Amino acid sequence: MGKYILRRLLGMIPVLFIISVLLFSLVQAVPGDAFTQQLNPHVDHKYIEEMREKFGLDKSPIEQYFIWLKNFMQGEFGISFKNKLPVSELISDRVGNTVFLAVITLIITYLLAIPIGIYSANRPYTLMDNTITTFSFIGLSLPTFFGALLAIYIFSFNLEWFPSSGTMTAGAGYTGFRLLLDKLHHVILPATTLAVLSVASYTRYIRSSVLEAKRQDYVRTAYAKGLPRKVVMRKHVLRNALMPLITFFGLDLGSLFAGAVLTETVFTWPGLGRLIFESTVNRDYPVMMACYMIIAISILLGNLIADILYSKADPRVRYD
Amino acid sequence: MPAISPDTVVSPLPNARKKHQSVWQLAVRRFMKNKLAVVGLITLFLIVLISVAAPFIATYDPNKPDIYNIDGEPDDQHLLGTDDVGRDVFARLLYGGRISLLVGLVSSIMIVLIGGFLGAIAGYYGKWIDSLIMRMVDILLVLPTLLLMLFVVTIMQKTTIWSLIAVFGLTSWPVTARLVRGEVLSIREREYVLSAKAIGCSDLRIIMKHVLPNVLPTIIVNATLLMATMILAESGLSYLGFGVAPEITPTWGNMLHAASNVTVLTDQPWLWIPPGLMVVLTVLSINFIGDGLRDAFDIKSTRR
């Protein structure tokens, strides 16, 4: 197992290297640079030249790439073009918010999707099941940001139940438990809109997975030897049907940092997704490069965790 | 079953063709029995119809500003009011459907062509071609597609319909390629491919005549669901302001962009709720159709 993990970790290096080259060349393909837009008669030409020199933009692209790579490996993500702050500072300010939002979203997803999926599978093709299926389809077809806009329109502006933006009440100075409540109050709306999509897809997955497990021979055998329905469900059906969820958990873990560009933008939630949006608008390439690389790393690690968890949960799967 | 006569052995073709047709007929019959799929098909047809017939339905030019009638509320002249430069929102909604549907259709065809081609040669030839293409797939799949699109769109100075379609095509093919490769891998080992090889058919002929027809159901279902995904992607990118500019042509996505203004969001819901609902309705009916097709062709469902 240790060998397997090591091999997978080493395998990530070339992938990350190619991704970084790819992203870097895309940036280089843009005519001009971050300071071209500032070129106008009111700005001293010398100043622009100085700034270019300061950010190393006067060097050749290949040289620039290796300087970037060397710094990145040392945890130096560079300086933001836009607000001249270290990129690592910008990112560490945001990561917590994104993770908080993602964790609450995951909790909502599991709390809703598992019971609904099982309920649906136990009464296939009834009115309730068909209703659930139809709603899952609507959930899958709803653009997340449109859901977010509707949620703000209905629950923030008309009903005034939840705040429409931010992570906490500014200037309220809450501490301890009160602060936690305030944060939860702010996170509920974005987390719920984000969860709509995942609840819909999880529900559909769990439903078909449970339905399939119920058709297996070992389930019939379990009934035949006289086990009560509850025991059969818990020990034979659910155990097998819900096993793949462990894999999804790993994958979800990996995409935690990918954030939700659209949802975070709609709710002006200061997370990584919003940072990506802002840096994209401003063509702030050091920030973009760092964010995308962090996301790539977390997704690769998430895939690895998914595979490890699955082999732990299912003794039939072995890696060596 | 009739005894095998010399006749059937000599000319297996008519027989094969008959059977071939019945697979498709069976699929059509099964599809028509699926109520949700048929409802989806009719709804999508109606949406396409009103978008194509937009010039006959809309009484206003979707791109013509009317400075004397800015931010108008819905009335019997302008069914959905006017926007911040006085353009008729109802007309824009109808014309916007054209672009959203076009982007969805053309980009999903493009993705299927690129992904299908690469997946087919990877699966059929194997060896280094397979490794090369599959590594490309792995690398592109590491980043979420929307982020990849966002990155590529940034480097373009101005987004047009066709550059948007190109970006969608270039970033979204990996899943299709992987899907097609898997199918081709298993078909390659079937007896009929082996016998085709034995009688000296060229690779091209085997791929076109024996492999492709068998992968087609998977590709059709994939293309349908991709169209839904691409319409969602267009609306998402346009909401962020990275889609086709509203001055060039209206799309449902760039109409939704208006809602990033808080005043529009709270006080003028008629500007952004209709295009949003149109997106939901279109994507929903396409998803119903895709699901119906998947059941009709009896393809094992994957996580979605």
Side-chain angles (χ1 to χ4, degrees):
Chain A
M1 196 69 189
K3 240 185 181 171
Y4 170 76
I5 295 174
L6 189 70
R7 206 174 60 219
R8 283 282 298 267
L9 286 174
L10 288 176
M12 286 176 194
I13 294 171
V15 174
L16 288 172
F17 177 73
I18 295 174
I19 290 174
S20 70
V21 172
L22 205 76
L23 294 179
F24 207 86
S25 8
L26 281 175
V27 171
Q28 294 295 330
V30 191
D33 58 43
F35 300 104
T36 314
Q37 292 161 342
Q38 294 182 13
L39 265 184
N40 66 55
H42 305 292
V43 178
D44 188 6
H45 207 79
K46 268 230 177 78
Y47 165 76
I48 300 286
E49 289 303 316
E50 264 170 35
M51 289 311 275
R52 280 196 174 135
E53 211 168 297
K54 192 178 156 207
F55 285 100
L57 296 175
D58 51 342
K59 297 194 174 66
S60 79
I62 296 173
E63 232 175 311
Q64 281 185 45
Y65 173 74
F66 281 105
I67 293 170
W68 174 85
L69 186 67
K70 192 178 137 242
N71 288 336
F72 187 81
M73 306 252 264
Q74 293 169 344
E76 269 303 319
F77 298 163
I79 307 284
S80 156
F81 289 160
K82 175 78 182 165
N83 39 27
K84 317 284 188 283
L85 286 170
V87 176
S88 46
E89 204 172 287
L90 286 174
I91 289 177
S92 59
D93 279 353
R94 307 291 188 102
V95 163
N97 291 329
T98 291
V99 171
F100 181 57
L101 176 60
V103 167
I104 301 290
T105 308
L106 272 187
I107 293 175
I108 296 176
T109 305
Y110 290 136
L111 280 184
L112 289 179
I114 295 177
I116 296 176
I118 296 172
Y119 178 91
S120 203
N122 280 335
R123 298 159 187 75
Y125 310 111
T126 57
L127 180 67
M128 229 11 231
D129 175 46
N130 288 337
T131 315
I132 290 169
T133 303
T134 311
F135 271 101
S136 325
F137 265 109
I138 296 174
L140 287 175
S141 309
L142 184 76
T144 318
F145 70 93
F146 182 58
L149 290 171
L150 283 178
I152 289 181
Y153 182 67
I154 297 169
F155 297 107
S156 293
F157 290 120
N158 285 326
L159 297 173
E160 295 182 359
W161 286 356
F162 298 102
S164 65
S165 65
T167 60
M168 57 180 115
T169 314
Y174 293 132
T175 48
F177 186 64
R178 194 73 189 76
L179 179 70
L180 182 72
L181 275 185
D182 186 49
K183 282 194 147 191
L184 282 176
H185 190 217
H186 279 78
V187 82
I188 277 298
L189 218 49
T192 312
T193 44
L194 264 179
V196 168
L197 181 72
S198 50
V199 169
S201 75
Y202 270 74
T203 303
R204 278 186 66 70
Y205 182 84
I206 292 168
R207 176 184 178 273
S208 67
S209 182
V210 170
L211 269 180
E212 199 173 312
K214 283 172 87 173
R215 276 200 298 267
Q216 300 297 319
D217 291 340
Y218 54 73
V219 172
R220 197 178 329 124
T221 313
Y223 278 123
K225 72 180 181 188
L227 285 183
R229 217 189 77 88
K230 267 191 178 157
V231 179
V232 177
M233 274 306 278
R234 201 178 62 229
K235 283 202 163 169
H236 297 278
V237 176
L238 294 186
R239 236 187 132 165
N240 281 291
L242 299 184
M243 195 119 68
L245 288 187
I246 294 174
T247 321
F248 297 162
F249 177 69
L251 299 177
D252 286 335
L253 217 59
S255 48
L256 270 187
F257 294 97
V261 180
L262 284 160
T263 314
E264 286 188 1
T265 306
V266 175
F267 285 99
T268 43
W269 182 266
L272 270 189
R274 173 103 191 142
L275 184 64
I276 288 175
F277 171 69
E278 286 163 0
S279 59
T280 308
V281 171
N282 298 320
R283 298 183 183 227
D284 197 344
Y285 296 119
V287 181
M288 281 174 81
M289 284 297 290
C291 287
Y292 279 72
M293 289 311 286
I294 287 172
I295 288 168
I297 293 170
S298 72
I299 288 179
L300 284 172
L301 286 177
N303 291 350
L304 178 61
I305 292 172
D307 289 346
I308 295 171
L309 284 179
Y310 197 68
S311 79
K312 289 269 181 245
D314 189 342
R316 286 168 298 185
V317 181
R318 284 262 172 271
Y319 301 112
D320 25 45
Chain B
M1 199 177 155
I4 298 170
S5 65
D7 217 39
T8 45
V9 178
V10 173
S11 60
L13 250 180
N15 215 349
R17 179 161 297 159
K18 200 171 151 202
K19 194 162 185 194
H20 177 76
Q21 270 182 347
S22 78
V23 169
W24 292 90
Q25 281 168 350
L26 205 69
V28 171
R29 210 174 307 144
R30 249 184 273 162
F31 182 85
M32 286 305 179
K33 268 194 195 145
N34 187 331
K35 273 185 216 125
L36 286 181
V38 174
V39 170
L41 195 64
I42 294 170
T43 315
L44 185 66
F45 177 75
L46 290 177
I47 294 170
V48 172
L49 194 71
I50 60 164
S51 303
V52 173
F56 304 106
I57 303 173
T59 39
Y60 291 91
D61 182 338
N63 288 316
K64 200 169 157 220
D66 174 6
I67 46 163
Y68 296 110
N69 194 356
I70 283 171
D71 285 334
E73 288 192 16
D75 53 32
D76 44 346
Q77 285 295 309
H78 299 276
L79 281 176
L80 292 172
T82 53
D83 65 7
D84 53 348
V85 284
R87 295 172 298 206
D88 181 51
V89 178
F90 183 66
R92 290 179 75 73
L93 188 71
L94 296 176
Y95 279 92
R98 292 177 155 200
I99 307 304
S100 296
L101 289 166
L102 184 78
V103 169
L105 184 70
V106 179
S107 51
S108 66
I109 291 174
M110 203 169 126
I111 294 164
V112 164
L113 286 180
I114 299 176
F117 176 74
L118 291 175
I121 60 171
Y124 188 77
Y125 290 105
K127 297 194 189 104
W128 65 270
I129 300 184
D130 185 28
S131 321
L132 181 75
I133 294 175
M134 283 305 114
R135 286 301 81 74
M136 271 159 66
V137 167
D138 289 343
I139 286 164
L140 280 177
L141 281 182
V142 168
L143 288 174
T145 317
L146 187 76
L147 291 185
L148 212 56
M149 289 171 180
L150 197 61
F151 202 106
V152 181
V153 167
T154 342
I155 65 168
M156 296 187 306
Q157 299 298 313
K158 193 156 200 165
T159 317
T160 64
I161 300 166
W162 300 106
S163 64
L164 200 65
I165 290 172
V167 171
F168 286 0
L170 292 176
T171 51
S172 308
W173 58 268
V175 179
T176 310
R178 189 177 267 180
L179 203 68
V180 172
R181 172 186 174 265
E183 288 280 305
V184 171
L185 266 183
S186 81
I187 291 168
R188 194 181 63 173
E189 305 300 328
R190 303 272 166 86
E191 284 85 354
Y192 53 81
V193 173
L194 209 69
S195 52
K197 263 188 192 155
I199 59 170
C201 290
S202 66
D203 283 346
L204 185 71
R205 191 185 158 87
I206 294 176
I207 291 178
M208 297 306 285
K209 290 262 173 192
H210 300 282
V211 177
L212 212 58
N214 287 298
V215 196
L216 214 52
T218 310
I219 293 182
I220 292 174
V221 173
N222 184 244
T224 316
L225 297 175
L226 269 174
M227 187 172 162
T229 315
M230 291 306 125
I231 291 177
L232 286 177
E234 188 275 325
S235 70
L237 278 182
S238 301
Y239 172 75
L240 290 177
F242 292 102
V244 182
E247 301 82 50
I248 300 178
T249 175
T251 75
W252 289 334
N254 65 28
M255 290 176 76
L256 276 161
H257 179 65
S260 54
N261 179 329
V262 180
T263 326
V264 174
L265 177 63
T266 52
D267 299 339
Q268 296 167 286
W270 53 87
L271 288 185
W272 59 272
I273 291 183
L277 287 182
M278 288 308 284
V279 173
V280 176
L281 204 61
T282 310
V283 173
L284 186 63
S285 31
I286 296 175
N287 277 337
F288 279 147
I289 296 170
D291 204 60
L293 285 175
R294 183 159 50 200
D295 287 346
F297 287 124
D298 199 19
I299 297 168
K300 240 192 139 198
S301 86
T302 46
R303 184 200 181 199
R304 242 213 70 161

